[in-house]
Amino acid sequence: MIDIPTLLGFSAAVLVSIAILLLLTRPRGGARLWLAMPFLAGACCCALLLWPALKQAPAAGYIGTFFALLAFAAGWQGIRSIFHLPPRWGLLLAPPLCWLALVAAVFGPGEMSSLNAAGRAALAALYCGLSAVTLVQRRDPALPSARLLARILMVSAALAAVAMTLSPWLPEPLGAGAPRTWAVAVFSGIVLIDVLLVCGLMVAVLKEQAASRLYDEATRDPLTGLYNRRLLDEKLGIWDQEDRVSGTVRAALFFDIDEFKSINDRFGHDMGDKVICQAARAAEQAVRRDDLIFRYGGEEFLCILPDSSLKAGLAAAERLRSTFERCAQEVAGHRIDATLSVGVAISQGRRSNAGALVAAADRQMYRAKQAGRNRVMGSDDD
């Protein structure tokens, strides 16, 4: 029959192995250490709990349980570190330290084992709940594993809350009763299953973050930070399919910096890059948060405004034109007086073709150029 020391020793070995594996992974900065910390603290917990299992040493058991609570706290910060959130040291350390002080001063001398066990379970529920809330608040469609991890942590928090209410009747380490081998086996099994699931999902979240970051880098223009032509080409087919089903009406704003070659010739290409970035920032100010802005090529840009009308598109184009004209009068201490021309076109719902929409906005932009530049032209006739 498996005894308690064997179970604790096996659990400690598994936790140390997982911590080493996590330390060898690639998260940057302090994230690597924070991800390994819960498992290192859990291994310390199991090692210290071996002493009262082999000898009568209750103090070691209390410190071991303190490390178990630190493991829950470090797990919460490990999840926060994935999203580059700083440690909240007060909430990390104060609850476990308060529990340890109460055990030493009140629970232990007063033989209040039920309150002791309930306090342990309450802190475990607290940190599992905080971890789940962090994942829910930082939800990202590009991180599907984070949603599953949040559900597992919510279940863990609920189980800890149940254990808190049943602590007077459950044997240690599940509750306040006399230790039983089966209780240690159940506890160790639950911990190991949770650890393996959480570890696997945390690694999956890190990989999803890396994949999302690489995709974002591949679809962004390095100079302006706007979306690039590659992403636009992907989106054109998607919009065609969506519009045939939903009948979504989109406005397209195609704009170009007037006489840009003259700016490069007079002030140099570095200044030209600054003017291009100024146009990108003006576009971000002029359109809505959910609208898409692309650097089409060189000094040409495209904005796509979903669920928009020609009137709304023309208004956004005029905001863009006037904002850029104001901001580009002087750039980096040089009088530039740059302007831009904007063409606006509107799609035709289910009969739309996204490529034709972009071409129509482009034609309207050339009409604006021919009419004297620094103006907006638009029509729904295309």
Side-chain angles (χ1 to χ4, degrees):
M1 184 176 181
I2 299 176
D3 58 4
I4 292 176
T6 301
L7 287 170
L8 291 173
F10 175 75
S11 299
V14 170
L15 291 169
V16 168
S17 299
I18 293 174
I20 292 172
L21 287 174
L22 286 172
L23 286 171
L24 295 175
T25 58
R26 296 183 181 178
R28 299 175 182 176
R32 180 183 305 175
L33 181 60
W34 277 116
L35 291 174
M37 278 295 294
F39 306 103
L40 291 172
C44 291
C45 162
C46 293
L48 286 163
L49 290 175
L50 277 171
W51 286 102
L54 296 171
K55 303 176 182 180
Q56 294 300 316
Y62 295 151
I63 298 174
T65 304
F66 168 73
F67 272 98
L69 297 177
L70 279 184
F72 281 104
W76 169 51
Q77 179 53 38
I79 289 173
R80 286 175 57 83
S81 71
I82 291 175
F83 300 104
H84 310 291
L85 298 173
R88 297 181 60 180
W89 293 107
L91 200 50
L92 273 171
L93 299 176
L97 287 171
C98 287
W99 174 87
L100 187 61
L102 287 171
V103 166
V106 180
F107 295 156
E111 297 185 353
M112 299 178 182
S113 55
S114 295
L115 287 176
N116 180 358
R120 296 196 308 260
L123 290 182
L126 169 67
Y127 288 120
C128 287
L130 286 172
S131 300
V133 168
T134 299
L135 289 166
V136 170
Q137 288 178 338
R138 310 288 294 189
R139 60 182 178 271
D140 185 340
L143 305 177
S145 297
R147 295 192 292 273
L148 180 56
L149 179 55
R151 293 189 187 102
I152 291 173
L153 289 166
M154 288 177 186
V155 171
S156 299
L159 290 174
V162 170
M164 180 178 64
T165 59
L166 298 177
S167 57
W169 302 280
L170 292 173
E172 286 191 4
L174 300 173
R180 295 287 186 272
T181 301
W182 68 265
V184 176
V186 169
F187 178 79
S188 299
I190 291 173
V191 168
L192 288 176
I193 291 172
D194 274 357
V195 161
L196 291 173
L197 285 172
V198 170
C199 176
L201 288 169
M202 287 172 74
V203 171
V205 169
L206 287 170
K207 288 185 175 180
E208 289 166 357
Q209 278 188 324
S212 177
R213 186 166 54 250
L214 288 172
Y215 179 77
D216 194 60
E217 290 173 357
T219 56
R220 294 277 183 180
D221 171 57
L223 176 63
T224 62
L226 301 179
Y227 292 121
N228 60 19
R229 184 75 174 268
R230 175 181 178 178
L231 182 64
L232 174 63
D233 292 340
E234 290 181 14
K235 290 287 188 181
L236 291 176
I238 296 172
W239 290 332
D240 283 341
Q241 294 177 3
E242 290 178 349
D243 294 351
R244 289 190 193 104
V245 175
S246 64
T248 300
V249 176
R250 305 175 192 274
L253 280 58
F254 202 107
F255 64 98
D256 175 279
I257 301 172
D258 296 326
E259 300 181 318
F260 183 71
K261 184 178 182 303
S262 173
I263 296 173
N264 275 338
D265 292 342
R266 286 184 293 149
F267 301 101
H269 290 278
D270 287 343
M271 180 61 68
D273 287 346
K274 290 182 173 63
V275 174
I276 286 174
C277 291
Q278 193 70 60
R281 304 292 82 80
E284 290 172 338
Q285 294 177 39
V287 300
R288 301 166 299 185
R289 179 176 298 180
D290 294 333
D291 297 333
L292 298 177
I293 312 172
F294 302 87
R295 186 181 179 192
Y296 195 78
E299 69 275 18
E300 295 180 326
F301 301 82
L302 174 70
C303 301
I304 299 294
L305 285 58
D307 298 313
S308 191
S309 63
L310 180 61
K311 181 179 179 181
L314 290 169
E318 179 55 32
R319 286 196 302 272
L320 166 60
R321 187 205 62 79
S322 60
T323 299
F324 180 74
E325 183 181 30
R326 183 177 63 255
C327 295
Q329 286 181 347
E330 185 175 305
V331 178
H334 294 273
R335 187 77 181 187
I336 302 295
D337 290 325
T339 61
L340 50 81
S341 300
V342 191
V344 182
I346 196 76
S347 68
Q348 302 298 320
R350 288 185 173 86
R351 295 185 291 110
S352 296
N353 178 279
L357 173 65
V358 174
D362 188 23
R363 287 194 295 272
Q364 294 296 330
M365 185 268 291
Y366 277 103
R367 284 184 59 200
K369 295 273 191 187
Q370 293 166 358
R373 301 186 180 90
N374 190 26
R375 65 193 62 219
V376 173
M377 298 290 284
S379 171
D380 54 3
D381 295 334
D382 289 282

